[in-house]
Amino acid sequence: MRASETRRQIVEVADRLFYEIGYEATSFADIARDVGLSRGNFYYHFKTKDEILDAVIERRAATVHALLDTWEDAGESPSDRIRSFVRILVENRTKIMAHGCPVGTLCAELSKLQHAARDDAARLFALFRTWLARQFVALGHEGEADALALHLLMRSQGVAALATAFRDEDFIRREVADMEAWLEARCPAAPSTVSHRPD
Amino acid sequence: MRASETRRQIVEVADRLFYEIGYEATSFADIARDVGLSRGNFYYHFKTKDEILDAVIERRAATVHALLDTWEDAGESPSDRIRSFVRILVENRTKIMAHGCPVGTLCAELSKLQHAARDDAARLFALFRTWLARQFVALGHEGEADALALHLLMRSQGVAALATAFRDEDFIRREVADMEAWLEARCPAAPSTVSHRPD
DNA sequence: GTCTATAGCAGGATAGAC
DNA sequence: GTCTATCCTGCTATAGAC
């Protein structure tokens, strides 16, 4: 098999295992087994575990970019696009209840390990942050776009964390509906009469 | 030294290390070193790592109970008490930016490891949940007290997660102020004119 | 109750044959 | 590019002296 294809498979499997059982808990043997490789051959493709982590983070960044592009194209209005972001919590509820948010849990794990790739993982959050902020700017919230973006990111992280702890699907749906109502209050079509700060 | 005192020290050190570097990443050698014990002697007190984990979760539950009791006694009104809960995010900001929320990160880690103590850790969340719900009942929100409690827990988890990723103290303060405003709108003294559901 | 010594195993990583 | 065989390290855990 071509090296690039084997490499791609390794990163794909590692991405899944890092998400499902965590970076540290995933061993070379686990990845090799799932790819169908011997442990020895593994090192032809990746010299260290850190290298695989870098490749996985890069892959996730590409996935996030693709996702944001899809929403950008599909959403008629900025608020439709933001709604797409909010709704992934419901769409991915099964995985989230089992393993949390892929970005949030990786960041948390790498932070504790004081891993060098810690900031690279945080940059995945930043992708959502800047994209959301751009949508809020388009909605006319220039001065507070970044704060609103962080607020929404914060909520989605909180929902993911509690959904994992309590495994409560109704809770996810309730909070997503709440985020949509919050968003509705900030659309130019139905402007809030009180304040533009997150509440 | 008395066995019970040594045991207490082990649990105290393990509690700190599990928080700072994570359960799996913490080795017996780490704990033994910080306590000032030989690795061998360790097993006189705890037979397995899981036993230490159980003791740490028990210790954290006691800490949470003590904290809730303090707030219960100190807070003049239920909303004062809830405000105490919200403000730990600011008070513990340095530790939270470095290692996240002790409860949330433990739950996340044990979930990924599919550890048997997973649900015991989630029960730490439940302590806050029922306590907060009781305060909301006292504020006259009987039917939605649990949903409001979960909403506040969700927010605090989200803030902790993003604070760890971005290490942004201003973000924490802004969101805490926001939670206080949200709470203000739900106090009988200044009732919300729109709805009692979290928004 | 504390120590040293050590078993036993799994992980990351390497060498070299094919 | 893939394999087997192997090394080293660090971990959990045990045995037994003091």
Side-chain angles (χ1 to χ4, degrees):
Chain A
M1 190 185 294
R2 278 176 26 258
S4 63
E5 171 60 14
T6 305
R7 192 191 149 93
R8 199 195 55 75
Q9 278 187 37
I10 289 174
V11 177
E12 187 183 320
V13 166
D15 192 350
R16 179 176 57 78
L17 289 175
F18 288 179
Y19 176 46
E20 290 177 357
I21 67 180
Y23 168 69
E24 225 201 355
T26 301
S27 70
F28 278 25
D30 292 332
I31 304 173
R33 179 187 15 86
D34 281 17
V35 175
L37 276 181
S38 73
R39 263 187 309 163
N41 184 23
F42 208 95
Y43 289 82
Y44 175 80
H45 302 279
F46 290 97
K47 294 304 164 205
T48 69
K49 204 178 174 184
D50 290 356
E51 272 184 37
I52 308 178
L53 176 60
D54 289 341
V56 165
I57 292 176
E58 210 174 308
R59 185 187 139 97
R60 290 198 186 176
T63 307
V64 171
H65 272 123
L67 199 60
L68 297 178
D69 286 349
T70 306
W71 296 339
E72 191 85 34
D73 295 343
E76 310 262 316
S77 66
S79 60
D80 282 340
R81 293 176 191 143
I82 299 174
R83 233 179 298 273
S84 300
F85 166 78
V86 169
R87 284 187 186 143
I88 45 170
L89 284 168
V90 173
E91 280 161 24
N92 294 347
R93 62 190 180 280
T94 308
K95 284 192 175 183
I96 288 172
M97 287 190 290
H99 313 110
C101 163
V103 178
T105 54
L106 184 66
C107 274
E109 184 177 2
L110 297 184
S111 276
K112 294 238 176 191
L113 298 175
Q114 302 202 268
H115 195 286
R118 197 205 125 117
D119 292 337
D120 294 324
R123 233 164 271 143
L124 296 174
F125 266 138
L127 294 177
F128 285 103
R129 177 180 181 173
T130 50
W131 184 87
L132 284 169
R134 210 169 60 233
Q135 309 307 322
F136 281 114
V137 167
L139 283 172
H141 296 278
E142 284 81 10
E144 57 195 357
D146 183 59
L148 293 170
L150 274 181
H151 181 79
L152 218 46
L153 255 190
M154 174 280 282
R155 281 204 188 194
S156 69
Q157 282 303 300
V159 171
L162 285 202
T164 310
F166 291 123
R167 290 206 202 80
D168 183 344
E169 198 171 320
D170 288 341
F171 161 73
I172 300 177
R173 293 188 189 281
R174 202 189 324 136
E175 290 294 342
V176 164
D178 216 62
M179 287 162 84
E180 290 181 336
W182 175 88
L183 183 60
E184 197 69 41
R186 271 147 200 85
C187 293
S192 164
T193 55
V194 187
S195 153
H196 283 147
R197 303 230 20 257
D199 89 8
Chain B
M1 193 185 293
R2 276 175 28 257
S4 64
E5 171 60 14
T6 305
R7 192 191 150 95
R8 198 196 55 73
Q9 278 187 38
I10 289 174
V11 177
E12 185 183 321
V13 166
D15 191 349
R16 178 176 57 79
L17 289 175
F18 287 180
Y19 176 45
E20 290 177 355
I21 67 178
Y23 168 68
E24 225 201 354
T26 300
S27 70
F28 278 25
D30 292 331
I31 305 174
R33 176 185 20 84
D34 282 17
V35 175
L37 274 182
S38 73
R39 266 184 306 162
N41 184 23
F42 208 96
Y43 288 83
Y44 174 80
H45 302 279
F46 289 98
K47 294 305 165 205
T48 70
K49 204 177 172 183
D50 290 356
E51 272 183 38
I52 308 178
L53 177 60
D54 290 341
V56 165
I57 292 176
E58 208 173 310
R59 186 187 140 95
R60 291 197 185 178
T63 307
V64 171
H65 273 122
L67 200 60
L68 297 178
D69 285 348
T70 305
W71 296 339
E72 192 84 33
D73 295 341
E76 309 263 313
S77 67
S79 61
D80 282 341
R81 292 175 191 144
I82 299 174
R83 234 179 298 273
S84 301
F85 165 79
V86 170
R87 286 187 184 143
I88 45 170
L89 284 168
V90 173
E91 280 162 23
N92 294 347
R93 63 191 180 278
T94 308
K95 284 192 174 184
I96 289 172
M97 288 191 288
H99 314 109
C101 163
V103 177
T105 53
L106 183 66
C107 275
E109 184 177 2
L110 297 183
S111 277
K112 294 238 175 191
L113 297 175
Q114 303 204 266
H115 196 286
R118 197 204 126 117
D119 293 336
D120 294 323
R123 232 163 275 144
L124 296 175
F125 267 138
L127 293 178
F128 285 103
R129 178 180 180 171
T130 48
W131 184 86
L132 284 169
R134 209 170 58 232
Q135 309 306 322
F136 281 114
V137 168
L139 282 171
H141 297 278
E142 282 81 11
E144 56 194 357
D146 183 59
L148 293 171
L150 274 181
H151 181 79
L152 219 45
L153 255 190
M154 173 279 283
R155 282 204 187 196
S156 70
Q157 283 302 300
V159 172
L162 286 202
T164 310
F166 291 122
R167 290 204 202 81
D168 183 344
E169 199 172 318
D170 287 342
F171 161 74
I172 300 178
R173 292 187 189 280
R174 201 191 322 137
E175 289 294 343
V176 165
D178 217 62
M179 287 162 84
E180 290 182 337
W182 174 89
L183 184 60
E184 197 69 39
R186 272 150 199 84
C187 292
S192 164
T193 55
V194 187
S195 154
H196 283 148
R197 305 235 12 263
D199 88 10

